[in-house]
Amino acid sequence: MKTQYMIRNGYKYALSAILAVAALTFSGCKKDFEKYNTDNTGIGNGKFQVGLIYPGIQAAIFGGEGDYQLNQNLNADCYSGYMMSPNPFRGNINNLNYSLVDGWNQNIFVTSYTNSFFAINAIAKAGTRTSQPDFWGVALILKVETMNRVTDKFGPVAYSAAGQTLMGTPYDSQQNIYKQFFLELDTAVTNLNTFIKANPGKTPFSQYDLVYGGDYTKWLKLANSLRLRLAMHIVKADAATAQAQAQKALDPANGGVLSVNADNAGISGGGTHNPLEVITTSWTDIALGAPIESYLVGYKDPRLAIYATPATDPRFAGQYKGIRIGSLVTAKPGYNGYSVLNSKTIVKSNSPMMMMTAAEVWFLKAEAALRGWTGAGDAQTNYTTGIQTSMDQWGVSGSTYINDGTSLPIAYVDPSNAANNSPAVSTITIKWDGGASNEQKLERIITQKWIAMFPEGQEAWTEYRRTGFPKLFPVVTNNSNGTIDSQIQIRRLAFPQNEYSTNGAEIAKAVQLLNGPDNGGTRLWWDVNKPNF
């Protein structure tokens, strides 16, 4: 791990310097964490060109390698089963064996509010809601995308009142946050649809857009697809709302959803780079997770060579070998010869950071069809289209794979420590089985969805918590002092300790909203402990 500040070199926009200063201040001085509830961007007076602020907001969703490592890589990316670090951070007492590191996890709050939330508040204060409703629609999509990542890590967070007070910022329940997400997406969809109909072919947002080059029809598809994703998140907590929101997303009158790879929502350009490339190659802080090895080797998945590089350790050179989460990692270079993410393909420096892909949406539609929701189509067709769309994304063939009804995930064997070995934890095959139970069908859908979303661990961890799929190897060493069940696995991150000292009364209310102790074993609102069907 390095000290890395998210200075966005390369932007051709004057305002990026202001955002960079804010990022530098909060990355380098964590004692100022309590200021997350203050608009410190210096741009809240409306005296700026609104478009200039957008590149920074988009880039901040993932951030530079320093922020990305703390905000996602050393939690969700590894909890999802995608990755594991060969670095024994803090003497092997860290997030990866459930000893949650407060100094790491508070960074999520700092960057999300200072680099994104308050910039979006500044856009609102500038009157953009009425003067440029199309720009405001994009801002709302970015707001939901950014803050969904925060609430799905912690649960209740400051949302409706964030930035309005200097002290005592109240938290919203996660249920109410999701309600606001859906309302904000309503506004975004209405605004973009209205603009598109009145101004066909016009792209006023193009010079500020790191995702779609100003194509509002694709932003509209992203808004609907994000609604579908969020609807599925809450299906066990509020089935009626989930169905209503999903059907709204799937209604063609609202603009459609991501369906082909040209629709994929990835952030690139404008001086950004893929942070996983540096974390993988320069820092050698991340490697392949054991579950990816188990599933992709067992399935003979042609995407494996795109996702990862073969091991270099002479004991098993040429094989694909991941690391099991919670392993007692020896000092570098003990595990450095294991497989890592492929820096020439999926995490090369200029490869986009994917927020959402068409493949994911096909799998969402497959589950929606399984639940009998209007507009979802046929579950099997959606499932096979999801696999093929992912294969097409990476330029490999999927026809043989889709029809493979025999290949199974393999057992995990760690050549460095037999204590980490485990038999395979799933017996699910690839080929669709129309006679299977809905639970088995869902395991197929989520397992293939998980493979297709790699390496976006945030959503993969959410889907694992929501459904229990794909089945993952449990943590080897659990240092949670009994607060996290090794079999159920970690459910959330604990609130930063700085909140207890600077926002004590409101954090106490937030814990009440959580309906459980403030630790990694407490389930979020949508994470309901009941069967999927």
Side-chain angles (χ1 to χ4, degrees):
M1 185 186 295
K2 311 296 183 194
T3 301
Q4 184 72 24
Y5 299 126
M6 190 174 64
I7 300 176
R8 301 180 184 89
N9 297 320
Y11 288 147
K12 297 178 182 178
Y13 314 105
L15 198 61
S16 64
I18 297 173
L19 293 179
V21 170
L24 178 62
T25 299
F26 280 84
S27 294
C29 190
K30 298 298 188 285
K31 63 185 173 62
D32 288 334
F33 169 71
E34 63 271 16
K35 295 181 183 178
Y36 88 86
N37 64 354
T38 305
D39 180 356
N40 71 339
T41 60
I43 54 178
N45 57 11
K47 297 178 181 179
F48 61 92
Q49 186 177 336
V50 165
L52 298 177
I53 198 171
Y54 281 83
I57 297 169
Q58 294 166 82
I61 289 172
F62 293 102
E65 48 268 14
D67 284 330
Y68 180 82
Q69 185 176 53
L70 297 182
N71 293 358
Q72 178 163 325
N73 194 230
L74 292 176
N75 51 74
D77 285 348
C78 295
Y79 299 153
S80 69
Y82 283 163
M83 306 173 208
M84 174 58 187
S85 179
N87 188 332
F89 291 112
R90 296 168 52 89
N92 276 312
I93 305 296
N94 57 59
N95 281 6
L96 306 182
N97 46 53
Y98 297 168
S99 178
L100 300 183
V101 183
D102 182 68
W104 294 4
N105 299 332
Q106 75 173 21
N107 197 72
I108 300 165
F109 268 55
V110 173
T111 57
S112 297
Y113 286 99
T114 61
N115 299 343
S116 300
F117 195 95
F118 294 119
I120 294 168
N121 277 0
I123 292 171
K125 292 175 184 177
T128 309
R129 287 187 179 95
T130 53
S131 64
Q132 293 175 283
D134 52 320
F135 275 52
W136 181 240
V138 174
L140 289 174
I141 297 168
L142 293 170
K143 181 183 180 183
V144 172
E145 171 68 22
T146 298
M147 295 308 294
N148 178 241
R149 292 171 177 272
V150 180
T151 186
D152 283 355
K153 288 188 178 81
F154 294 97
V157 293
Y159 196 70
S160 60
Q164 298 178 12
T165 60
L166 293 176
M167 301 288 290
T169 304
Y171 280 49
D172 296 86
S173 70
Q174 190 174 47
Q175 182 177 13
N176 283 338
I177 292 169
Y178 265 73
K179 287 179 180 178
Q180 291 176 74
F181 286 163
F182 291 131
L183 291 172
E184 287 165 337
L185 290 174
D186 284 343
T187 300
V189 168
T190 297
N191 289 6
L192 292 178
N193 261 324
T194 300
F195 183 92
I196 291 166
K197 290 174 183 176
N199 304 276
K202 291 190 176 181
T203 57
F205 189 59
S206 58
Q207 63 180 309
Y208 314 115
D209 193 352
L210 304 185
V211 183
Y212 288 132
D215 188 337
Y216 281 160
T217 64
K218 291 183 178 179
W219 278 103
L220 189 57
K221 290 180 181 179
L222 177 59
N224 291 322
S225 301
L226 184 55
R227 183 193 300 277
L228 180 58
R229 174 197 274 178
L230 299 179
M232 204 62 76
H233 286 181
I234 68 171
V235 69
K236 291 202 285 188
D238 185 349
T241 299
Q243 182 174 354
Q245 291 295 332
Q247 290 176 173
K248 182 183 289 188
L250 293 169
D251 184 346
N254 290 323
V257 293
L258 311 182
S259 61
V260 296
N261 286 314
D263 296 335
N264 291 349
I267 297 167
S268 63
T272 64
H273 62 273
N274 191 310
L276 280 166
E277 190 268 339
V278 170
I279 295 170
T280 299
T281 60
S282 299
W283 297 358
T284 63
D285 274 354
I286 205 67
L288 198 69
I292 285 285
E293 174 201 337
S294 173
Y295 282 93
L296 271 67
V297 171
Y299 286 160
K300 307 174 186 64
D301 196 306
R303 291 166 291 190
L304 181 55
I306 305 293
Y307 289 179
T309 59
T312 57
D313 189 305
R315 295 172 296 168
F316 43 92
Q319 301 177 38
Y320 288 92
K321 182 56 60 181
I323 307 173
R324 188 170 162 192
I325 191 169
S327 298
L328 295 178
V329 178
T330 52
K332 287 184 176 181
Y335 274 83
N336 276 9
Y338 285 55
S339 294
V340 299
L341 280 63
N342 193 330
S343 61
K344 295 181 179 179
T345 53
I346 199 163
V347 296
K348 62 184 177 182
S349 182
N350 64 348
S351 61
M353 292 296 290
M354 287 295 178
M355 294 183 287
M356 200 169 194
T357 65
E360 179 192 341
V361 175
W362 283 108
F363 291 117
L364 284 165
K365 289 176 67 176
E367 181 176 350
L370 199 62
R371 296 183 181 281
W373 293 351
T374 301
D378 175 70
Q380 179 177 355
T381 300
N382 294 339
Y383 172 76
T384 57
T385 303
I387 296 175
Q388 188 59 57
T389 301
S390 178
M391 297 292 183
D392 292 344
Q393 181 182 349
W394 300 111
V396 295
S397 175
S399 57
T400 300
Y401 181 91
I402 288 170
N403 292 303
D404 183 347
T406 58
S407 294
L408 297 168
I410 62 170
Y412 176 69
V413 176
D414 186 349
S416 298
N417 187 350
N420 299 331
N421 295 354
S422 174
V425 290
S426 175
T427 58
I428 201 69
T429 53
I430 302 165
K431 185 177 180 180
W432 186 260
D433 179 2
S437 67
N438 279 349
E439 191 74 7
Q440 291 170 321
K441 289 175 181 176
L442 184 64
E443 183 177 0
R444 270 195 182 82
I445 291 168
I446 301 299
T447 299
Q448 290 301 321
K449 181 182 185 181
W450 175 80
I451 294 171
M453 289 192 299
F454 186 89
E456 217 301 89
Q458 170 67 42
E459 186 60 19
W461 182 35
T462 292
E463 289 297 84
Y464 170 76
R465 288 176 289 169
R466 177 178 74 86
T467 67
F469 302 129
K471 295 176 181 176
L472 301 175
F473 300 117
V475 66
V476 178
T477 302
N478 183 335
N479 287 320
S480 71
N481 294 319
T483 60
I484 303 171
D485 186 301
S486 295
Q487 298 302 314
I488 297 173
Q489 306 194 31
I490 186 166
R491 313 310 289 187
R492 63 180 290 274
L493 301 178
F495 293 127
Q497 286 300 307
N498 225 327
E499 272 293 88
Y500 284 90
S501 58
T502 62
N503 198 20
E506 295 302 329
I507 198 70
K509 296 176 186 175
V511 174
Q512 291 180 340
L513 293 173
L514 190 59
N515 292 319
D518 181 17
N519 59 45
T522 295
R523 294 174 181 267
L524 302 184
W525 164 70
W526 49 253
D527 180 10
V528 180
N529 184 20
K530 68 179 184 181
N532 289 301
F533 291 93

